[in-house]
C-alpha cells in the first residue's frame, strides 16, 4: 500500500513539474539583420550569452547576435561578409 501511495503521489506531481516548462515565456527570436540594426539589443544579448555560455551559446538569439557582431566587425575592416544561415 505504501508503494502504491508513493507512486500515486509521484504521478500526480509530474504534470505540475512538466507544466512549469510549458508556461515559461518564450523569447522572440530576432534575425541577424535585426541585430545588425539594433546595437543596444545586440550588446545586451551578447553580454547575456557570454554570462552563461553553457546554456545559451547555441540558442538562436545568441547565434544571430554573434553573427551580426562578426559581420559588422569584418565589414568595418573591409573583410568578408558573413551571411546568415538559411534553411534548406
Amino acid at each position: 500500500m505504501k508503494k502504491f501511495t508513493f507512486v500515486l503521489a509521484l504521478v500526480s506531481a509530474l504534470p505540475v513539474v512538466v507544466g512549469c516548462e510549458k508556461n515559461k515565456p518564450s523569447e522572440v527570436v530576432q534575425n541577424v539583420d535585426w541585430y545588425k540594426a539594433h546595437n543596444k539589443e545586440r550588446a545586451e544579448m551578447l553580454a547575456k550569452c557570454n554570462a552563461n555560455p553553457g546554456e545559451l551559446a547555441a540558442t538562436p538569439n545568441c547565434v544571430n547576435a554573434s553573427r551580426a557582431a562578426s559581420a559588422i566587425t569584418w565589414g568595418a575592416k573591409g573583410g568578408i561578409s558573413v551571411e546568415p544561415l538559411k534553411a534548406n
Side-chain angles (χ1 to χ4, degrees):
M1 185 67 174
K2 288 183 182 181
K3 285 183 181 180
F4 176 75
T5 305
F6 175 74
V7 171
L8 184 60
L10 184 62
V11 171
S12 299
L14 189 60
V16 174
V17 174
V18 173
C20 292
E21 189 66 30
K22 289 181 183 177
N23 294 334
K24 186 178 177 182
S26 62
E27 187 175 53
V28 176
V29 176
Q30 302 295 350
N31 63 24
V32 174
D33 291 330
W34 188 90
Y35 278 115
K36 284 181 185 178
H38 296 86
N39 295 333
K40 179 183 173 197
E41 289 83 357
R42 182 180 64 249
E44 289 173 355
M45 181 56 65
L46 290 173
K48 180 180 172 183
C49 298
N50 290 334
N52 190 359
E55 288 185 21
L56 300 176
T59 61
N61 277 325
C62 288
V63 171
N64 291 343
S66 177
R67 286 185 174 269
S70 294
I72 290 169
T73 300
W74 284 102
K77 294 181 179 180
I80 60 170
S81 65
V82 178
E83 297 295 325
L85 295 175
K86 296 181 181 173
N88 292 331

